[in-house]
Amino acid sequence: MADTNPLSNCRLAFIGCGVMAEAIIAGLLRKKLVGPEQIAGSHPRQARREEMHVKYGVEMFEINRDAVTEVSPETPDQSSIIVLAVKPQRLLGVLQQLKGSLVKEQLVVSVVAGAKIETIAEELVHVSIVRTMPNTPAQIGEGVTAWTASAGVSEEQESQVCAMLEALGEAVRVENERQIDMATALSATGPTYIFLVMEALIDAGVHMGFSRHVAQELVHQTMLGSVLFARESHKHPAELRNMVTSPGGTSAEAIYQMEKGSLRTVLSKAVWSAYQRAEALGRK
Ligand SMILES: NC(=O)c1ccc[n+]([C@@H]2O[C@H](COP(=O)([O-])OP(=O)(O)OC[C@H]3O[C@@H](n4cnc5c(N)ncnc54)[C@H](OP(=O)(O)O)[C@@H]3O)[C@@H](O)[C@H]2O)c1
């Protein structure tokens, strides 16, 4: 393994091995950033523990604290990350279980939606906390994760977090937790907007007379190709749109109908409402 890999000497414990923890573990192993012997996990159900062990070769524990102590640094050059990946309603109980089991060198990375750094820091009496907000395409390594760190997180730990999150797709560092709420509305809720638009376009294709299968293929590749084209061309979306909008043509007609139906305003309101909701859930 190359020396430039910031995780080469790091051991990781995943508390709650559900969908998101599995996506990170699978990504880390796929990219060979760590070996299975560097990973421990915990899960209350034996069947899930066995599944994770057989599938990825990682050591699994029933007791959350045991996974944390398993990956404690044994030598000064070793580092350790504890990933909190339970559902938000389980977090408080899990933090209470973990309290006192961490050593100060360990970094805590939370993927739990809405959980504030301050809450985790207070419950664990720990200073090195990273809060992240991934999205569902992370499950195939095509996600985007916003993250921010407490003041107690070192530069080395930050590069480890970056490497770990890049196993899920792209990682974008944001300035503060307010921006985590903003990312919750834009990128974490984002697939919902895209899927709805996708569904509406496929239905429109079926309405015209295409079979669902053909409509789906046409829409999927149109969306995928448009995103890749936008990214590669580095052009503003309006410029790309103007390139295909000929006078009196089909695009001009379609744009007129979308503007008339306030599509732009509807999307903007949806994102803004999701942001307010993320903030409100974080206050609970
Ligand atoms: N999935 C996503 O795309 C996504 C995106 C952004 C953020 N997140 C965040 O990621 C976190 C995990 O989400 P997820 O989708 O991975 O959920 P999940 O699949 O339900 O994973 C959580 C796992 O934790 C287990 N668990 C329950 N109680 C536990 C305990 N006391 N100790 C240890 N493990 C326990 C659950 O077991 P059971 O199955 O037996 O209940 C479940 O397997 C959530 O907080 C969510 O907000 C997820």
Side-chain angles (χ1 to χ4, degrees):
M1 210 167 279
D3 284 334
T4 50
N5 170 14
L7 294 169
S8 58
N9 240 347
C10 183
R11 295 200 298 161
L12 302 100
F14 290 82
I15 307 303
C17 285
V19 173
M20 196 41 72
E22 182 169 356
I24 303 175
I25 292 171
L28 288 171
L29 295 175
R30 190 173 54 238
K31 292 184 97 182
K32 299 196 184 328
L33 286 166
V34 296
E37 70 289 348
Q38 288 170 263
I39 300 178
S42 62
H43 202 278
R45 278 187 294 112
Q46 190 185 355
R48 180 63 175 161
R49 291 199 296 277
E50 279 174 14
E51 187 188 356
M52 290 297 293
H53 181 67
V54 169
K55 216 164 158 185
Y56 301 103
V58 299
E59 196 162 353
M60 294 294 297
F61 296 86
E62 181 179 3
I63 310 293
N64 291 328
R65 285 175 77 98
D66 290 348
V68 171
T69 43
E70 173 67 18
V71 301
S72 283
E74 284 162 358
T75 54
D77 64 326
Q78 265 183 2
S79 55
S80 170
I81 297 178
I82 310 303
V83 181
L84 303 173
V86 292
K87 289 281 189 204
Q89 60 272 25
R90 302 255 186 233
L91 181 68
L92 211 56
V94 165
L95 293 176
Q96 283 160 1
Q97 288 166 11
L98 295 185
K99 189 172 179 176
S101 62
L102 280 82
V103 294
K104 70 174 189 324
E105 292 80 12
Q106 285 177 310
L107 171 69
V108 176
V109 176
S110 166
V111 301
V112 182
K116 289 244 176 350
I117 287 179
E118 193 186 2
T119 310
I120 297 169
E122 276 177 14
E123 289 296 328
L124 291 180
V125 196
H126 198 77
V127 292
S128 316
I129 317 277
V130 164
R131 181 176 166 194
T132 73
M133 180 44 67
N135 65 3
T136 47
Q139 286 167 45
I140 57 157
E142 291 291 345
V144 60
T145 306
W147 65 280
T148 193
S150 68
V153 176
S154 69
E155 264 182 41
E156 189 197 344
Q157 286 172 325
E158 286 183 3
S159 57
Q160 290 177 331
V161 170
C162 238
M164 184 181 93
L165 295 178
E166 278 170 5
L168 295 175
E170 298 206 1
V172 177
R173 180 164 188 169
V174 296
E175 286 166 25
N176 49 44
E177 292 192 272
R178 182 175 164 262
Q179 294 193 351
I180 290 283
D181 286 338
M182 288 158 58
T184 304
L186 198 58
S187 52
T189 312
T192 309
Y193 316 135
I194 305 298
F195 293 143
L196 187 69
V197 171
M198 188 187 286
E199 187 188 338
L201 289 175
I202 293 169
D203 285 349
V206 172
H207 190 193
M208 286 190 298
F210 275 129
S211 71
R212 188 158 289 277
H213 169 74
V214 170
Q216 189 167 298
E217 202 173 323
L218 289 171
V219 170
H220 279 185
Q221 186 53 34
T222 301
M223 292 184 97
L224 193 62
S226 304
V227 170
L228 293 175
F229 184 38
R231 197 161 66 176
E232 276 183 31
S233 69
H234 300 291
K235 286 187 165 49
H236 189 281
E239 205 181 333
L240 291 169
R241 202 159 45 74
N242 287 346
M243 278 160 56
V244 289
T245 310
S246 38
T250 54
S251 291
E253 183 59 33
I255 289 167
Y256 172 75
Q257 291 297 341
M258 286 191 284
E259 299 290 20
K260 196 174 164 199
S262 303
L263 181 66
R264 210 186 279 258
T265 317
V266 167
L267 283 174
S268 180
K269 279 185 176 170
V271 174
W272 190 256
S273 302
Y275 168 52
Q276 288 176 321
R277 186 76 189 128
E279 269 194 327
L281 288 171
R283 278 197 297 271
K284 272 188 181 170

